[in-house]
Each structure stands twice: as structure tokens, then as C-alpha cells.
Amino acid sequence: MKKILVTGAAGDVGSRLRKLLPAVYPNIRWSDIKTPADLGANEEFVAADLSDMKQVEKIVDGIDGIVHLGGFSVEGPWDTILQSNIVGTYNMFEAAYRAGVSRVVFASSNHAVGFYPRDKRIGVGVTVRPDSRYGVSKAFGEAIGAMYADKHGLRVTCLRIGNVGDAPIDQRRLAIWLKPEDLVQLIQIGLEHRDIKFEVFYGASNNAAAWWDNSNAQRYGYQPKGKADDFREQAMAAQAKLGPDPVGDKFQGGAFCSAEYDADRRTD
Ligand code: 15L
């Protein structure tokens, strides 16, 4: 990869990648709707609103590979999700295709499959079960990524990211934690592995409590270094301070499932 574009540079995951990715890819264009507060003089940054195709065309110009983190990263009102994540992701894939970009790594989310119960181990072949409008937008991103791969030959990798952080912060995150360095490894596979056409991987480290079968990523050489279990005590201590969430505690998506949940009120 000669030059890569990373969208969502000002977000939490983007800010972590700004520290880690330049060691692997020296030529990076960062983008976000707002400029990161701590932008370095040596960092190339171009602001863009992803819902505006003209602005997206500008940021993809001259790019070989894209890491698309941009958009709204939690549940939100429909119009926000529609503009940032649905229109924005369409614009990014369409602009990438028109500009001849060869690869896209799309930051999907565990919330595309959040309504699977925690006692079910799932692989990447399951039907999506989004737990939120946000989760629906991530399922859309995976679907449109597949379309650009199958119809137009873009090489696309979707990462169903769990929770990126220095350590798992509660019991749920013991199952889905992703060490930032392991995310870098997954991005590298997506941007470089010669056999990638369209793939979905789970963005999780080597977690003893995992709900996900990530053998598809392992098939491409993924060897996660992070082990959520190393932080079990502190995660469980944090969990003990949280109140019970009868719906969220049952499903993989946690509080994203219990928010606005009223399926149990139906009597028909
Ligand atoms: C996500 O997809 C969000 O972007 C992040 O903020 C966390 O909520 C994460 O999922 C999670 O499930 O912990």
C-alpha cells in the first residue's frame, strides 16, 4: 500500500490508530468531519463530511487503500445514522470505486449481530441480528461492501469490532475486547493479504470468554496478542458496580439491546 486514507481520525479508535499505524504505513491521509485537537505538524489531514459526495471524492483522490472508521459510532437518531453511516458509507465505497482504490477495510461492529444471546457462539456466516439503528447501519456497510467486491472487484474486509481499549472495562468486554495492536494486525491483513476478495472478521483479541468463532481471520494469519483474561479481576470489579440489565445481560450487544427495548410488552 503506497498511500492510505483513514476516516474517523478524530474518534477514539482513530486517535489510537494515529499513534500506531504510521509505523506500518508511513504515507497516511487522515480525515474526519472535525480536525483532531492534537493534530501533529507531520500528519496529513483533510476534513470531510462523509454525507457530501464531493468532499468524499476529494479525500479518496490518489489513495490505494482505505480504512473506513468514519461515521457515528454509537446509537443515534435515525437521521444522524442515515446521513453519517448509510449515505456516508455509500459515498465512501462509490468514490473509492470511481477513483480506482484497490482495498477497503470497513469498521463494522459487534452491534450488527448484537441480538445473538451470549450463550451462542457465532461465526461470520450467521444472519445479521442488529441491536440498534447503528447496528443496522453496520450491517448495511457489510452488505454494500460485498456488492462492491462482487460486482466491481474492490477488495473489501469488514471488521466486526468488539470494544477497542487499553483493557476490557466490564464483563461483556471480557468477551469482545480488542487490543489496539491486534486491530492493526487485522487492518494489515485487510490491506495486504493477496487472497482477500470479500471477508468478514471479528475484531476481538484472544479472549477466553469469547462468543465468536474467529477462525476466518485466523485462516488469513491473524494471531491476536491481547488476552482479556489478564484483566479479569479489574473487569469484574467494574462489573460489580453496574446495576443488572435483564435484557442487556442476556444478549451480546449489551445495553444497545436494552435501549428502547419493548418486545416483552407485546401480548399478540
Ligand atoms: C461499538 O460499536 C461502539 O463504536 C463502541 O463505542 C462501543 O460501544 C462498542 O461497540 C461496544 O460494544 O463496546
Side-chain angles (χ1 to χ4, degrees):
M1 283 286 123
K2 280 182 237 112
K3 178 145 191 160
I4 68 165
L5 165 72
V6 183
T7 65
D12 181 65
V13 176
S15 304
R16 290 172 186 279
L17 289 182
R18 284 178 42 232
K19 298 201 181 85
L20 297 172
L21 268 192
V24 189
Y25 301 106
N27 201 353
I28 303 180
R29 176 181 300 155
W30 302 96
S31 182
D32 204 300
I33 197 162
K34 56 175 189 206
T35 308
D38 58 343
L39 191 70
N42 56 343
E43 289 181 295
E44 179 186 339
F45 178 82
V46 182
D49 177 346
L50 295 170
S51 67
D52 179 340
M53 181 59 110
K54 288 258 162 318
Q55 296 185 39
V56 180
E57 280 173 344
K58 218 169 94 192
I59 57 171
V60 303
D61 186 46
I63 291 296
D64 302 297
I66 299 175
V67 180
H68 183 56
L69 308 170
F72 203 68
S73 64
V74 288
E75 179 62 315
W78 173 241
D79 201 52
T80 303
I81 297 293
L82 177 64
Q83 294 307 322
S84 304
N85 294 11
I86 306 267
V87 176
T89 299
Y90 164 76
N91 285 348
M92 188 277 304
F93 275 110
E94 175 62 18
Y97 162 55
R98 288 186 207 160
V101 171
S102 98
R103 297 194 182 223
V104 173
V105 175
F106 170 65
S108 182
S109 166
N110 70 92
H111 297 291
V113 289
F115 262 118
Y116 280 96
R118 294 189 186 190
D119 59 10
K120 189 169 166 72
R121 188 173 169 83
I122 56 172
V124 292
V126 295
T127 305
V128 290
R129 299 290 291 272
D131 58 22
S132 48
R133 293 173 289 280
Y134 166 71
V136 169
S137 75
K138 293 302 182 179
F140 167 83
E142 293 184 9
I144 199 166
M147 194 275 280
Y148 276 96
D150 293 336
K151 186 164 282 208
H152 300 300
L154 213 66
R155 293 169 182 258
V156 177
T157 304
C158 299
L159 306 179
R160 282 185 189 159
I161 297 176
N163 188 262
V164 180
D166 296 330
I169 52 174
D170 56 22
Q171 184 168 16
R172 180 173 160 269
R173 271 55 171 251
L174 281 172
I176 68 167
W177 179 58
L178 177 59
K179 187 180 165 83
E181 288 79 359
D182 290 340
L183 172 59
V184 171
Q185 208 188 125
L186 288 166
I187 289 171
Q188 274 189 270
I189 293 170
L191 290 179
E192 293 173 36
H193 199 292
R194 53 187 272 262
D195 298 335
I196 296 272
K197 290 206 160 69
F198 174 79
E199 295 297 342
V200 178
F201 301 149
Y202 283 100
S205 288
N206 182 11
N207 304 332
W211 300 314
W212 304 325
D213 169 1
N214 214 7
S215 49
N216 197 37
Q218 286 151 12
R219 211 159 58 83
Y220 283 90
Y222 179 49
Q223 290 186 319
K225 303 281 179 293
K227 290 190 174 133
D229 237 38
D230 291 348
F231 305 93
R232 171 162 283 275
E233 222 169 283
Q234 71 187 60
M236 292 311 284
Q239 180 68 36
K241 294 193 188 121
L242 301 172
D245 177 354
V247 174
D249 292 345
K250 210 160 66 188
F251 295 106
Q252 298 186 3
F256 281 64
C257 297
S258 47
E260 303 173 42
Y261 183 88
D262 59 7
D264 52 353
R265 285 201 218 130
R266 300 282 299 235
T267 51
D268 54 339

